[in-house]
């Protein structure tokens, strides 16, 4: 192989070898498809600057037409390869309705380049990645292996190939060991399998003085049970049984025996204002060892995201072997949770980011009904917050909601989305109320169904019912800023201005930057003729 142009980029723990089209993390090769590598290189070369989606697609696919969904899917693969989202790391920023920007500082270097074989051997202290040794590269710049000369091997060349053969044999041994491990062949010292097939999520402990956070600890545990139940090969103890251990001294081995599970998850939560500190620990009760533990610090508004983070980390440490289809289902569910988290923010950027996550989930699993409902809700909120026109967004919302119900006619989220459209766009009030009631019937604890139904009840001047339904939404999710702010909105629409003002002020004491509360407070001041105060809120 001839001399390559010396060209390298470095950021965080990563190094890009441009001539050989390799991405390294701490000297280990990170496998990337050719197009994902092209996207990374394009973003790196324009680090700190926004690249529009159109420009990015033209540069990566110069000779062919591709849909935007292809770009979105490849960006998602790149983020996953970089480990974005783990411990709060973020490399690529999505700029709503514009494009993407690489946000970390990038440096260029001109060290002596290594060829692909040398890089593979150097990575991991001389142990190569099994993909690098056994799989041919699919990129346009494959490394060509030169044939041995007819003169014979030199001593150095012989040693080189001997070393490469030993590395390949070592990698093969690791692969065999890995197969045995993940198919249940691996055993602990006492002869039990290493694979975790059953788990109990114990009630999380509130370590703070805020008694309201007791609800939060229950909510986190409940959400984790629901998330872990998505794992096909894992038996998860129902919450109705684990609740019996709330407030009791935790003895993991005893609890494991009583519930007949291999692992237990314990957790502690401390709330400070709008910040949560969560410690989660996964314990193997067979040998009383900690499988995994992690501390998380998150904003209260990101509660869905931290639940998804914990669930993902647990998945990765349970040692369960999943099929390709099962992995797809879990990936779609993970993207759905992220989409819901951004949808809750009710901002321009948040709603467009939510749309992107829901579309990614649909690309992975086109029959995943909740993602279509999430998509519909984002389009609905784009209208509510004046970001898109009704004519532009409501038809997209209706199409997505109908598609969701075609897949799952009992999906409460989709009935709620369709009810919203029938109320605000189609003006079919009787049909709208029917859809709201179906949603609450199928899922009585679904908060947005209660929220938006209360808005409907206000519109038909059933004010007492509207306030009662809005308060029910707040009771179902008392720590949600959205459900709390919505109660302020219903109080305002019902003409209870003093109650609305007091309620919104309490919200702003907790989060001064929560703009819906400022909006409702401003509208209420306006109705009371307090124009100076209204202007300040607006």
């Amino acid at each position: 192989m001839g001399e390559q142009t010396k060209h390298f980029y470095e950021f965080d723990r990563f190094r890009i070898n441009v001539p050989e089209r390799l991405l390294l993390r701490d000297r280990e090769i990170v496998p990337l498809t050719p197009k994902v590598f092209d996207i990374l290189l394009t973003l790196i070369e324009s680090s700190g600057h926004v690249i529009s989606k159109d420009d990015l697609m033209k540069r990566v696919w110069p000779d062919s037409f591709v849909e935007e969904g292809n770009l979105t899917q490849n960006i998602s693969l790149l983020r996953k390869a970089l480990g974005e989202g783990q411990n709060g790391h973020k490399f690529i920023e999505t700029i709503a309705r514009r494009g993407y920007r690489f946000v970390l500082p990038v440096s260029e270097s001109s060290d002596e380049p290594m060829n692909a074989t040398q890089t593979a051997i150097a990575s991991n202290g001389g142990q190569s990645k099994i993909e690098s040794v056994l799989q041919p590269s699919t990129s346009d710049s494959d490394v060509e292996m030169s044939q041995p000369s007819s003169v014979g091997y030199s001593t150095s060349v012989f040693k080189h190939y001997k070393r490469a053969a030993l590395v390949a044999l070592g990698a093969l041994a690791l692969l065999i060991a890995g197969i045995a491990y993940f198919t249940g062949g691996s055993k602990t010292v006492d002869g039990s399998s290493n694979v975790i097939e059953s788990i109990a999520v114990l009630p999380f402990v509130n370590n703070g003085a805020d008694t309201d956070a007791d609800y939060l600890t229950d909510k986190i545990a409940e959400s984790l049970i629901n998330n872990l139940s998505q794992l096909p090969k894992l038996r998860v103890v129902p919450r109705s049984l684990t609740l019996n251990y709330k407030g009791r001294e935790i003895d993991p081995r005893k609890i494991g025996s009583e519930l007949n599970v291999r692992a237990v998850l314990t957790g502690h939560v401390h709330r400070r204002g709008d910040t949560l500190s969560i410690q989660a620990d996964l314990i193997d009760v067979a040998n009383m060892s900690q499988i995994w533990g992690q501390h998380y610090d998150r904003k209260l508004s990101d509660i869905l995201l931290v639940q998804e983070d914990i669930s993902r980390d647990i998945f990765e440490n349970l040692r369960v072997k999943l099929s390709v289809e099962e992995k797809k289902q879990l990936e779609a569910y993970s993207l759905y949770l992220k989409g819901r988290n951004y949808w809750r923010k009710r901002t321009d950027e948040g709603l467009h980011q939510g749309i992107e996550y829901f579309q990614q989930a649909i690309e992975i699993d086109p029959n995943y009904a909740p993602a279509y409902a999430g998509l519909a809700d984002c389009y609905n909120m784009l209208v509510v917050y004046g970001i898109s026109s009704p004519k532009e967004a409501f038809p997209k919302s209706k199409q997505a909601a109908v598609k969701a119900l075609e897949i799952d006619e009992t999906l409460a989220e989709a009935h709620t989305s369709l009810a919203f459209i029938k109320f605000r766009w189609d003006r079919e009030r009787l049909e709208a109320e029917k859809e709201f009631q179906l949603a609450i019937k199928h899922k009585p604890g679904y908060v947005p169904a209660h929220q938006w139904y209360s808005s409907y009840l206000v519109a038909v001047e059933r004010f007492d019912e509207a306030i009662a339904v809005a308060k029910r939404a707040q009771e179902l999710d008392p720590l949600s800023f959205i459900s709390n702010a919505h109660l302020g909105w219903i109080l305002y629409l019902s003409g209870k201005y003093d109650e609305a003002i007091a309620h919104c002020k309490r919200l702003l004491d907790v989060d001064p930057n929560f703009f819906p509360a400022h909006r409702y407070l401003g509208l209420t001041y306006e109705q009371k003729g307090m124009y100076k105060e209204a202007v300040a809120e607006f």
Side-chain angles (χ1 to χ4, degrees):
M1 183 178 205
E3 180 72 15
Q4 295 282 352
T5 303
K6 299 178 180 180
H7 199 181
F8 301 84
Y9 292 107
E10 295 179 344
F11 61 93
D12 196 58
R13 297 161 52 198
F14 295 89
R15 176 181 175 88
I16 300 177
N17 184 330
V18 179
E20 298 189 8
R21 296 174 61 82
L22 291 174
L23 174 65
L24 307 175
R25 181 196 289 114
D26 297 334
R27 297 179 67 84
E28 289 192 4
I29 295 175
V30 179
L32 296 179
T33 65
K35 293 304 181 186
V36 171
F37 183 89
D38 290 340
I39 290 172
L40 173 61
L41 189 58
T42 303
L43 291 170
I44 287 289
E45 289 173 343
S46 302
S47 176
H49 300 282
V50 179
I51 303 179
S52 72
K53 294 181 179 180
D54 286 342
D55 287 346
L56 196 51
M57 287 190 287
K58 288 176 183 176
R59 291 171 68 174
V60 176
W61 291 274
D63 302 319
S64 59
F65 171 79
V66 295
E67 295 182 354
E68 187 178 311
N70 287 5
L71 174 62
T72 302
Q73 186 173 18
N74 279 278
I75 289 285
S76 176
L77 291 172
L78 176 56
R79 284 173 162 152
K80 189 172 182 178
L82 294 174
E84 183 166 295
Q86 297 179 11
N87 299 320
H89 287 317
K90 184 170 184 179
F91 298 90
I92 302 167
E93 180 183 11
T94 300
I95 309 300
R97 291 183 290 181
R98 292 179 61 192
Y100 301 96
R101 175 169 56 203
F102 196 85
V103 295
L104 289 191
V106 177
S107 62
E108 293 188 62
S109 62
S110 57
D111 297 335
E112 187 66 21
M114 296 185 290
N115 62 40
T117 304
Q118 291 170 323
T119 303
I121 294 171
S123 67
N124 199 23
Q127 299 261 348
S128 69
K129 282 266 189 182
I130 187 69
E131 296 93 337
S132 304
V133 176
L134 300 180
Q135 291 184 351
S137 171
T138 57
S139 73
D140 296 332
S141 59
D142 287 348
V143 177
E144 296 180 5
M145 300 300 293
S146 59
Q147 297 295 323
S149 68
S150 58
V151 178
Y153 296 101
S154 68
T155 303
S156 61
V157 171
F158 177 78
K159 289 181 177 178
H160 168 76
Y161 279 96
K162 181 180 179 182
R163 184 169 61 251
L166 289 172
V167 169
L169 287 172
L172 185 59
L174 287 173
L175 178 61
I176 293 170
I179 291 172
Y181 180 77
F182 282 108
T183 55
S186 178
K187 303 289 183 179
T188 60
V189 175
D190 62 4
S192 59
S193 171
N194 261 321
V195 178
I196 305 297
E197 298 176 338
S198 54
I199 187 173
V201 179
L202 300 182
F204 277 37
V205 178
N206 176 20
N207 285 342
D210 184 2
T211 55
D212 289 340
D214 286 339
Y215 161 82
L216 182 62
T217 59
D218 291 343
K219 194 72 175 177
I220 292 174
E222 179 184 0
S223 175
L224 290 175
I225 290 171
N226 293 337
N227 292 358
L228 290 170
S229 297
Q230 304 291 319
L231 205 57
K233 294 181 174 66
L234 183 68
R235 180 174 66 84
V236 184
V237 175
R239 183 169 178 264
S240 58
L241 295 179
T242 58
L243 272 178
N244 295 328
Y245 294 93
K246 185 171 184 178
R248 291 168 53 180
E249 184 177 347
I250 295 176
D251 181 344
R253 187 187 294 276
K254 181 180 179 183
I255 294 173
S257 176
E258 291 174 352
L259 296 177
N260 190 27
V261 293
R262 174 64 185 272
V264 296
L265 179 73
T266 64
H268 295 263
V269 179
H270 193 111
R271 178 187 174 189
R272 301 179 189 87
D274 65 341
T275 301
L276 294 176
S277 291
I278 302 173
Q279 175 65 38
D281 296 286
L282 185 63
I283 300 169
D284 186 341
V285 299
N287 50 30
M288 286 306 293
S289 63
Q290 183 178 29
I291 302 172
W292 161 86
Q294 184 69 42
H295 186 83
Y296 303 85
D297 288 311
R298 296 288 192 276
K299 292 292 185 183
L300 186 59
S301 57
D302 287 329
I303 184 64
L304 278 180
L305 206 56
V306 71
Q307 292 165 6
E308 194 273 334
D309 287 343
I310 297 173
S311 300
R312 183 200 62 233
D313 290 342
I314 295 171
F315 290 156
E316 293 175 355
N317 285 276
L318 284 177
R319 307 188 284 254
V320 177
K321 179 68 174 177
L322 299 178
S323 68
V324 173
E325 188 61 31
E326 289 165 347
K327 288 180 180 178
K328 280 175 55 179
Q329 292 171 1
L330 284 176
E331 181 68 14
Y333 180 66
S334 173
L335 290 166
Y336 171 74
L337 289 181
K338 290 177 180 177
R340 281 296 181 188
N341 185 73
Y342 280 95
W343 168 73
R344 286 166 64 111
K345 294 180 184 296
R346 300 299 202 266
T347 62
D348 185 340
E349 183 177 358
L351 291 170
H352 280 95
Q353 183 68 68
I355 288 173
E356 185 168 321
Y357 278 125
F358 291 132
Q359 287 175 336
Q360 289 177 33
I362 291 168
E363 287 165 9
I364 291 173
D365 185 357
N367 291 316
Y368 190 53
Y372 290 99
L375 203 57
D377 288 343
C378 281
Y379 285 125
N380 283 337
M381 292 301 101
L382 286 175
V383 176
V384 169
Y385 289 96
I387 301 165
S388 296
S389 69
K391 186 176 181 180
E392 176 187 3
F394 276 146
K396 295 178 182 178
S397 175
K398 187 172 185 178
Q399 182 181 16
V402 169
K403 177 65 175 178
L405 289 172
E406 287 175 357
I407 299 170
D408 182 358
E409 63 180 12
T410 67
L411 188 64
E413 290 85 345
H415 281 293
T416 303
S417 306
L418 189 59
F420 190 95
I421 301 158
K422 287 186 175 294
F423 167 42
R424 301 289 288 267
W425 179 242
D426 294 336
R427 305 294 182 183
E428 297 176 357
R429 289 187 170 182
L430 293 178
E431 287 297 314
E433 184 163 17
K434 177 183 174 183
E435 292 294 334
F436 279 128
Q437 290 174 345
L438 276 173
I440 294 171
K441 174 186 175 183
H442 288 306
K443 194 173 182 179
Y446 185 52
V447 174
H450 294 275
Q451 290 174 1
W452 296 347
Y453 185 35
S454 66
S455 293
Y456 166 86
L457 292 170
V458 162
V460 296
E461 299 183 9
R462 290 154 61 181
F463 298 115
D464 290 341
E465 288 180 71
I467 293 172
V469 173
K471 286 184 176 179
R472 177 58 182 156
Q474 185 195 30
E475 291 169 1
L476 288 169
D477 198 358
L479 294 179
S480 165
F481 284 107
I482 291 297
S483 59
N484 271 283
H486 185 79
L487 177 56
W489 171 245
I490 296 300
L491 290 169
Y492 156 73
L493 291 175
S494 300
K496 297 183 179 296
Y497 300 135
D498 291 338
E499 290 182 46
I501 290 171
H503 185 76
C504 289
K505 281 184 173 180
R506 283 195 296 271
L507 283 179
L508 292 172
D509 285 340
V510 178
D511 185 359
N513 296 317
F514 188 60
F515 85 89
H518 285 290
R519 179 189 182 204
Y520 304 151
L521 187 55
L523 289 169
T524 309
Y525 280 142
E526 183 182 18
Q527 288 299 313
K528 286 178 68 72
M530 301 168 65
Y531 301 121
K532 181 179 178 181
E533 291 83 353
V535 167
E537 295 302 321
F538 291 141

